[in-house]
């Protein structure tokens, strides 16, 4: 409709186009037909372009990074003052999003500590308490759901993960014919996820924990694809957490609330463990199947387990050198009267 | 040949005229597609699972009896000596129970009260040596039979440890046997599991069999989403 007046003008001054515009026929004159054709195509193209950009209409100005966030340096390059400024900004951001004032800290690794996890498959009963304690401790999104730990129900007699089931739904666990294998980030000593990150937004710290700088992550998801244990989780949407469920004790590299478009994963609850506490998944385990400690300490629980128990790691052949070990006790299966 | 070339010219003219039309139609269709958004570009909404804080409470699942244990007799908490002091003092093995009916002994071959409880002094437990120990030290009693598990517990390989992973920490506390196990029926009871995953990559129950491979065999377990990245297994085995 809008073209009509132009078209009439064109007809009136037929010499308007000298062929240099490349729109009409070779002799430099634009016929009504060719103008309509090209004009309609151009209009259609513009409309399609506009429509393709239409998701921008839903862009909330709050989603855009603030100037401070935009010019913030990489975690390792920040000075003490800059880190304090960043922590203050995060506190304000959390206050704005959830209406809750958190305590955000930057907790550094301890000297002479290398964390190792061990999990007793003979004891795990698959109650999934660890999964949900982790969600509560680490401020994971409730909608869409993000969980660091997944518990596999495995048929007895195999370690073939293909046969595991995440969705077991029994009135009571454990089942007599299955064992349960929780899987989370293995904090590998040779982490493929760190190797593939194009921008060093994820790296291994001196205590063996691989961390993510959520402000540096660009959301390319290479690390998610590289992880052989399927341990990384991507925030496809803005994480939703009820404000009364928010854990207010936060740390920069671990459980502060994430934004849409960044990756996250288990970090051995570094906001707890770097201050001497146990990880949340361990404390909640009703059967004591989970063991955690400093492998550089010869008397620690995990060192004893590595020395005396039969341990194995998942997918040893891929050469990731996990710091997460599975072990088991010498005992009969529960179905045969399970001697403790 | 001139007629042929003019034919070609006409054809190319037709092509010139038709191409923009096709492009326009494609663009218009794309516009409609983008605006109507039939597939949906948003994140699908998933079930929101709320787990009550009481279900992820990390305190010990049992309370250990102190040095002066009590038992609930007739709705009242009584100390052991209140009844066993002067009145009742049977030292008979396998005596039928008049009281303590709620105690269901399910402890394998350990099927007598007086294997663990001291016959004379009911506020105490007794080792096989006859040495009397307090209820707080009951783990010594367990160690008499469950030696390997006791050793594992001492080294931190068995049982639950709360507070701290630092061995010297004051917050560190290893739970005693009876803080997890019922001494009368030590095998763990079964638990009701908390809800399973509804994450985007581990979708809920009704979606999980979408990528099931129909090979005519009964599925031993539902295929995991990991199947996508796995090598096909050689079902024939060592055929070659």
């Amino acid at each position: 409709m809008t073209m009509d007046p132009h078209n009439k003008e064109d007809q009136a001054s037929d010499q308007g186009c000298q062929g240099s515009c490349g729109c009409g026929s070779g002799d430099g004159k634009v016929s009504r037909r060719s103008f309509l054709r090209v004009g309609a195509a151009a209009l259609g193209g513009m409309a399609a372009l506009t429509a393709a950009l239409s998701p921008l209409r839903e862009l909330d100005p709050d989603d855009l990074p603030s100037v401070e966030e935009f010019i913030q340096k990489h975690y390792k390059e920040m000075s003490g003052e800059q880190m304090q400024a960043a922590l203050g900004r995060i506190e304000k951001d959390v206050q704005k999003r959830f209406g809750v004032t958190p305590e955000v800290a930057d907790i550094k690794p301890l000297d002479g500590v290398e964390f190792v996890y061990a999990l007793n498959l003979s004891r795990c009963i698959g109650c999934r308490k660890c999964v949900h304690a982790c969600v509560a401790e680490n401020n994971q999104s409730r909608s869409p759901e993000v969980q660091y730990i997944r518990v596999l129900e495995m048929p007895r007699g195999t370690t073939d993960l293909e046969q595991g089931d995440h969705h077991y739904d029994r009135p009571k666990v454990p089942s007599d014919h299955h064992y349960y294998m929780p899987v989370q980030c293995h904090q590998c000593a040779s982490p493929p996820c760190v190797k593939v990150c194009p921008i060093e937004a994820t790296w291994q710290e001196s205590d063996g924990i691989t961390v993510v700088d959520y402000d540096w992550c660009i959301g390319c998801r290479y690390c998610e694809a590289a992880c052989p244990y399927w341990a990384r989780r991507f925030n496809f949407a803005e994480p939703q957490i009820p404000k009364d469920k928010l854990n207010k004790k936060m740390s920069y590299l671990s459980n502060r609330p994430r934004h849409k478009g960044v990756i996250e994963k288990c970090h051995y609850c570094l906001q707890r463990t770097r201050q001497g506490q146990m990880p949340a998944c361990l404390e909640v385990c009703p059967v004591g199947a989970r063991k955690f400690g400093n492998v550089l300490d010869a008397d620690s629980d995990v060192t004893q387990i590595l020395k005396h128990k039969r341990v194995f790691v998942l997918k040893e052949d891929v050469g990731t050198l996990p710091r997460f070990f599975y072990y088991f006790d010498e005992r009969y299966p529960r179905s045969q009267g399970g001697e403790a | 040949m001139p007629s042929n070339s003019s034919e070609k010219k006409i054809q190319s003219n037709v092509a010139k005229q038709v191409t923009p039309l096709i492009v326009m139609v494609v663009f218009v269709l794309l516009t409609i597609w983008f605006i109507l958004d039939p597939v949906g570009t948003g994140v699908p909404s998933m079930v929101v699972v709320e787990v009550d804080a009481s279900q992820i409470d990390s305190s010990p699942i049992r309370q250990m009896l102190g040095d002066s244990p009590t038992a609930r007799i007739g709705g009242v908490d009584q100390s052991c000596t209140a009844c066993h002091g002067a009145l009742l003092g049977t030292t008979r093995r396998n005596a039928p129970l008049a009281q303590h009916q709620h105690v269901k002994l399910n402890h394998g071959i350990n099927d007598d009260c007086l294997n663990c409880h001291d016959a004379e002094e009911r506020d105490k437990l007794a080792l096989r040596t006859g040495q009397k120990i307090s209820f707080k030290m009951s783990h010594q009693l367990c160690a008499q039979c469950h030696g390997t598990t006791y050793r594992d517990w001492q080294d931190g390989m068995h049982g639950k440890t709360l507070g701290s992973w630092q061995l010297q920490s004051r917050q560190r506390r290893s739970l005693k046997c009876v803080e997890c196990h019922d001494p009368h029926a030590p095998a763990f009871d079964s638990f009701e599991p908390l809800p399973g995953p509804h994450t985007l990559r581990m979708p809920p129950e009704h979606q999980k069999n979408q990528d099931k491979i129909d090979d005519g065999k009964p599925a031993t377990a539902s295929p995991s989403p990991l199947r996508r990245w796995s090598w096909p297994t050689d079902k024939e085995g060592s055929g070659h």
Side-chain angles (χ1 to χ4, degrees):
Chain A
M1 319 302 130
T2 52
M3 281 194 310
D4 279 338
H6 296 277
N7 202 30
K8 274 174 193 160
E9 272 173 36
D10 258 1
Q11 263 191 321
S13 58
D14 220 339
Q15 313 291 319
C17 177
Q18 295 298 329
S20 55
C21 62
C23 56
S25 47
D27 57 1
K29 294 181 179 176
V30 185
S31 68
R32 178 190 174 93
R33 182 180 292 181
S34 77
F35 184 88
L36 275 176
R37 252 193 332 260
V38 176
L43 189 76
M46 290 300 289
L49 183 68
T50 315
L53 294 174
S54 66
L56 288 177
R57 285 176 307 186
E58 291 157 28
L59 187 70
D60 186 348
D62 288 347
D63 283 352
L64 294 170
S66 61
V67 177
E68 302 95 73
E69 192 179 344
F70 192 71
I71 61 170
Q72 185 179 311
K73 287 185 173 175
H74 187 273
Y75 175 84
K76 291 183 191 172
E77 290 176 346
M78 268 194 271
S79 68
E81 272 175 34
Q82 287 168 328
M83 175 50 80
Q84 285 310 313
L87 296 179
R89 177 186 60 73
I90 292 164
E91 277 178 19
K92 270 189 217 146
D93 180 43
V94 173
Q95 173 77 47
K96 197 171 161 193
R97 274 173 76 190
F98 300 99
V100 171
T101 310
E103 303 165 35
V104 192
D106 173 36
I107 306 168
K108 300 288 184 193
L110 301 169
D111 282 336
V113 171
E114 184 178 343
F115 288 128
V116 155
Y117 216 116
L119 197 147
N120 191 341
L121 292 176
S122 305
R123 302 290 165 189
C124 180
I125 56 168
C127 64
R128 294 203 187 101
K129 280 184 193 284
C130 50
V131 177
H132 294 278
C134 171
V135 168
E137 169 68 28
N138 291 312
N139 293 323
Q140 276 136 267
S141 172
R142 311 302 204 272
S143 172
E145 209 174 70
V146 171
Q147 295 175 347
Y148 294 167
I149 307 174
R150 54 197 175 94
V151 185
L152 285 163
E153 187 179 71
M154 304 279 291
R156 286 196 174 277
T158 179
T159 53
D160 176 16
L161 297 178
E162 298 298 301
Q163 297 184 40
D165 181 12
H166 292 112
H167 297 278
Y168 61 91
D169 186 22
R170 301 175 185 283
K172 293 276 181 185
V173 287
S175 143
D176 281 345
H177 308 292
H178 295 87
Y179 71 99
Y180 297 86
M181 180 182 259
V183 184
Q184 62 204 77
C185 175
H186 284 6
Q187 315 294 354
C188 307
S190 176
C193 52
V194 170
K195 283 179 209 161
V196 297
C197 180
I199 48 155
E200 267 191 69
T202 182
W203 65 92
Q204 198 178 166
E205 300 246 289
S206 67
D207 55 3
I209 299 176
T210 294
V211 293
V212 182
D213 183 347
Y214 309 121
D215 290 338
W216 207 255
C217 177
I218 56 170
C220 69
R221 299 175 65 204
Y222 283 13
C223 53
E224 191 185 4
C227 176
Y229 305 106
W230 188 6
R232 286 179 174 251
R233 303 285 179 264
F234 186 67
N235 286 288
F236 284 95
E238 190 69 10
Q240 304 293 320
I241 310 165
K243 74 183 248 193
D244 58 318
K245 296 277 173 86
L246 206 68
N247 177 11
K248 288 179 200 155
K249 288 203 169 170
M250 297 175 185
S251 142
Y252 184 96
L253 289 175
S254 62
N255 64 337
R256 65 183 165 115
R258 276 70 65 183
H259 279 289
K260 181 165 81 179
V262 300
I263 211 88
E264 58 179 296
K265 69 169 194 68
C266 161
H267 39 73
Y268 282 179
C269 284
L270 68 83
Q271 71 280 4
R272 296 168 63 93
T273 52
R274 282 183 180 174
Q275 297 183 329
Q277 286 176 282
M278 289 289 198
C281 52
L282 183 148
E283 293 238 316
V284 81
C285 180
V287 293
R290 290 171 168 269
K291 292 286 168 188
F292 180 82
N294 178 13
V295 78
L296 303 181
D297 179 349
D299 298 322
S300 69
D301 301 353
V302 286
T303 314
Q304 295 294 324
I305 288 164
L306 295 185
K307 268 186 200 162
H308 298 299
K309 291 286 182 182
R310 290 187 269 183
V311 299
F312 69 96
V313 295
L314 279 192
K315 304 191 183 178
E316 187 181 10
D317 44 324
V318 296
T320 48
L321 307 176
R323 290 193 182 86
F324 194 104
F325 296 86
Y326 295 93
Y327 71 106
F328 42 93
D329 297 329
E330 299 83 355
R331 71 202 279 256
Y332 294 108
R334 275 179 293 263
S335 52
Q336 293 170 31
E339 160 73 3
Chain B
M1 286 305 146
S3 62
N4 202 357
S5 72
S6 69
E7 222 171 74
K8 271 189 180 171
K9 205 174 181 182
I10 290 166
Q11 276 182 353
S12 75
N13 271 343
V14 169
K16 262 189 185 173
Q17 287 167 6
V18 172
T19 313
L21 275 177
I22 295 171
V23 170
M24 187 194 74
V25 169
V26 168
F27 277 163
V28 169
L29 287 178
L30 277 174
T31 310
I32 295 166
W33 176 272
F34 281 133
I35 289 175
L36 293 184
D37 194 16
V39 175
T41 48
V43 175
S45 62
M46 307 293 270
V47 183
V48 179
V49 176
E50 278 302 327
V51 172
D52 194 59
S54 65
Q55 291 179 286
I56 47 172
D57 181 24
S58 60
S59 51
I61 57 174
R62 296 187 83 251
Q63 288 291 314
M64 190 166 66
L65 291 174
D67 272 335
S68 46
T70 57
R72 185 160 282 261
I73 304 294
V76 186
D77 282 338
Q78 307 273 10
S79 75
C80 303
T81 44
C83 298
H84 290 284
L87 289 171
L88 309 156
T90 179
T91 53
R92 205 149 50 87
R93 300 219 151 231
N94 291 318
L97 286 175
Q99 292 295 337
H100 308 299
Q101 297 277 0
H102 64 282
V103 176
K104 296 280 178 282
L105 200 55
N106 182 14
H107 196 152
I109 56 170
N110 179 17
D111 58 354
D112 192 272
C113 309
L114 299 179
N115 284 351
C116 297
H117 292 274
D118 187 62
E120 284 93 36
E121 203 176 336
R122 291 300 165 92
D123 286 334
K124 299 278 183 192
L125 301 168
L127 299 178
R128 301 299 285 167
T129 58
Q131 188 197 337
K132 291 175 186 178
I133 56 167
S134 81
F135 273 72
K136 269 187 177 169
M137 304 300 283
S138 59
H139 54 277
Q140 294 180 347
L141 204 59
C142 309
Q144 296 178 124
C145 299
H146 304 281
T148 52
T149 310
Y150 182 65
R151 179 204 62 201
D152 284 358
W153 176 74
Q154 281 181 311
D155 291 342
M157 296 189 277
H158 174 101
K160 181 168 172 173
T161 306
L162 293 172
S164 179
W165 53 268
Q166 289 165 321
L167 300 182
Q168 299 82 19
S169 171
R170 287 171 153 216
Q171 274 79 45
R172 185 178 165 88
R173 189 164 89 84
S174 290
L175 299 193
K176 302 267 166 55
C177 312
V178 293
E179 286 179 273
C180 296
H181 300 278
D182 180 349
H184 297 128
F188 252 81
D189 213 355
S190 51
F191 280 69
E192 195 181 321
L194 293 184
H198 300 82
T199 61
L200 292 167
R201 285 182 70 183
M202 291 186 277
E205 187 76 8
H206 64 275
Q207 292 174 21
K208 75 177 181 183
N209 287 337
Q210 272 179 352
D211 58 353
K212 196 173 206 164
I213 294 167
D214 189 13
D215 53 5
K217 288 172 192 161
T220 49
S222 47
S224 76
L226 286 173
R227 188 182 280 281
R228 257 171 279 164
W229 295 290
S230 70
W231 296 101
T233 48
D234 184 12
K235 295 273 181 190
E236 308 308 318
S238 53
H240 48 90

